[in-house]
């Protein structure tokens, strides 16, 4: 990217509104609010960036708008489209997945994005060859590097790679400078990761955090819970302050993503959803870092 299109770097105090926080729509569905309205609401609430999914990119350009235009609109409000997600891949990359990855990374470059999120899309209990998975992640990182993107590996309790130690092992074996982790607070605590596991992760491996709260006891169906019942920070029982302090202790300057998939949040007017989530997350940061 040239200097005219490079966005200011995002740091540890910058907030990124992930797609579902402001989409107003259920998981996998087109956003209820337009791209321009989400940009305006995010900027007014003090977010530094937003995220988009691949299907959101398609929907937002269906009327002929270019990705460059979307990036320009965001920049005009003082924010960026920093995140594009989520690419699901096999432990061993297929040709179809390579094509999807290229499309995602090309879109990310045109949006002037900072990082792209990926996950190994296999169910719990699947035997994962860490070396093969690392080779896949390394290939994705090399592809993304051609588009000036970082790649953030995400672990989830309902996927084969469920904990940060597994995910970190894959990222470390891949050993790519633009490869790292996205740490989703919901996935971290529901998947059995421990705060002590964070001590073993290098500071530069944290690409972004994703903050949301939840009730103390996990639901019987974690997929339903993660898609519909996450809570605004401070309105649940997850030890979010401890999580932030443990990550801060590594020296990480990872951007703070706010990802709240919630039926209750979706029912709010867009401006209220943006203001509420940003204010609650800033208060969490203040408490954790005071």
């Amino acid at each position: 990217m040239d200097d005219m299109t490079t966005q200011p770097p995002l740091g540890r105090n910058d907030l990124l509104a992930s797609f579902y926080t402001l989409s107003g729509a259920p998981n996998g569905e087109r956003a209820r609010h337009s791209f321009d309205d989400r940009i305006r609401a995010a900027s007014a609430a003090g977010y530094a960036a937003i995220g988009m999914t691949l299907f959101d990119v398609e929907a937002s350009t269906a009327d002929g708008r270019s990705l460059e235009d979307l990036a320009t609109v965001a920049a005009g409000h003082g924010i960026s489209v920093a995140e594009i997600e989520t690419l699901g891949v096999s432990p061993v990359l297929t040709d179809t997945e390579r094509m999807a990855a290229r499309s995602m990374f090309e879109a990310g470059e045109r949006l002037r994005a900072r990082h792209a999120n990926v996950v190994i899309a296999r169910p719990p209990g699947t035997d994962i060859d860490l070396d093969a998975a690392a080779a896949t992640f390394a290939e994705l990182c090399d592809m993304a590097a051609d588009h000036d993107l970082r790649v953030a590996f995400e672990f989830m309790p309902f996927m084969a790679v469920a904990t940060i130690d597994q995910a970190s092992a894959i990222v470390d074996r891949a050993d790519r400078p633009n490869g790292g982790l996205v740490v989703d607070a919901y996935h971290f605590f529901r998947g059995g990761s421990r705060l002590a596991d964070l001590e073993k992760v290098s500071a530069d491996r944290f690409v972004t955090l994703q903050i949301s709260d939840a009730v103390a006891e996990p639901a019987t169906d974690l997929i339903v819970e993660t898609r519909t019942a996450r809570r605004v920070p401070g309105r649940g029982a997850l030890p979010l302050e401890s999580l932030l302090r443990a990550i801060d202790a590594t020296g990480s300057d990872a951007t703070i993503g706010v990802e709240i998939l919630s039926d209750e949040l979706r029912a709010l007017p867009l401006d209220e959803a943006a203001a509420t989530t940003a204010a609650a997350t800033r208060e969490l940061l203040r408490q954790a870092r005071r």
Side-chain angles (χ1 to χ4, degrees):
M1 298 182 194
D2 58 38
D3 291 339
M4 294 297 292
T5 60
T6 300
Q7 293 291 334
L10 297 175
R12 66 196 294 268
N13 295 311
D14 292 315
L15 300 185
L16 185 161
S18 295
F19 170 73
Y20 284 111
T21 299
L22 301 182
S23 73
N27 185 79
E29 293 188 15
R30 178 174 178 166
R32 180 162 59 92
H33 308 296
S34 72
F35 175 85
D36 296 72
D37 285 346
R38 282 177 280 149
I39 288 292
R40 177 191 52 76
S43 178
Y47 279 103
I50 71 162
M52 297 183 77
T53 62
L54 282 174
F55 62 83
D56 184 40
V57 168
E58 293 174 359
S60 298
T61 56
D63 61 356
R65 297 180 72 181
S66 70
L67 297 181
E68 289 79 6
D69 179 52
L70 300 185
T72 299
V73 168
H77 285 80
I79 65 177
S80 63
V81 183
E83 177 179 82
I84 186 164
E85 63 172 359
T86 298
L87 180 69
V89 298
S90 308
V92 177
L93 207 61
T94 68
D95 288 341
T96 299
E97 291 165 350
R98 285 187 182 89
M99 291 177 61
R102 290 190 186 96
S103 177
M104 183 181 195
F105 298 151
E106 287 169 2
E109 180 177 21
R110 293 174 64 193
L111 287 166
R112 310 171 199 169
R114 171 181 178 269
H115 63 269
N117 297 348
V118 304
V119 61
I120 290 182
R122 289 293 182 272
T126 303
D127 186 23
I128 299 294
D129 183 319
L130 293 182
D131 288 331
T136 286
F137 188 68
E139 183 176 351
L140 291 171
C141 289
D142 291 344
M143 292 169 61
D146 291 336
H147 302 280
D148 292 336
L149 287 168
R150 297 191 71 184
V151 183
F153 189 100
E154 187 165 7
F155 53 97
M156 302 179 180
F158 31 78
M159 292 292 182
V161 181
T163 61
I164 193 169
D165 57 347
Q166 295 172 296
S168 185
I170 291 170
V171 171
D172 286 345
R173 292 186 191 200
D175 194 24
R176 292 299 190 270
N178 65 326
L181 298 163
V182 50
V183 179
D184 182 305
Y186 176 90
H187 299 327
F188 185 91
F189 290 113
R190 290 298 196 244
S193 293
R194 304 167 303 167
L195 294 176
D197 297 331
L198 296 166
E199 299 174 0
K200 298 173 286 186
V201 182
S202 299
D204 60 355
R205 290 304 191 196
F206 296 102
V207 176
T208 183
L209 314 181
Q210 290 184 338
I211 299 298
S212 64
D213 216 332
V215 297
E217 292 299 317
T220 302
D221 190 329
L222 291 181
I223 293 181
V224 171
E225 182 182 51
T226 196
R227 291 177 175 176
T228 66
R230 299 199 202 190
R231 296 189 175 186
V232 171
R235 298 184 185 177
L238 298 184
L240 298 178
E241 289 183 27
S242 296
L243 176 66
L244 284 168
R245 289 177 183 141
I247 293 176
D248 283 351
T250 70
S252 167
D253 63 353
T255 301
I256 304 297
V258 183
E259 185 176 66
I260 304 170
L261 291 81
S262 159
D263 287 344
E264 182 178 350
L265 184 67
R266 291 172 190 131
L268 295 179
L270 175 58
D271 287 345
E272 185 177 349
T276 298
T277 54
T281 306
R282 281 194 290 268
E283 176 60 19
L284 169 65
L285 294 177
R286 189 185 72 80
Q287 292 291 338
R289 294 170 173 171
R290 61 185 175 180

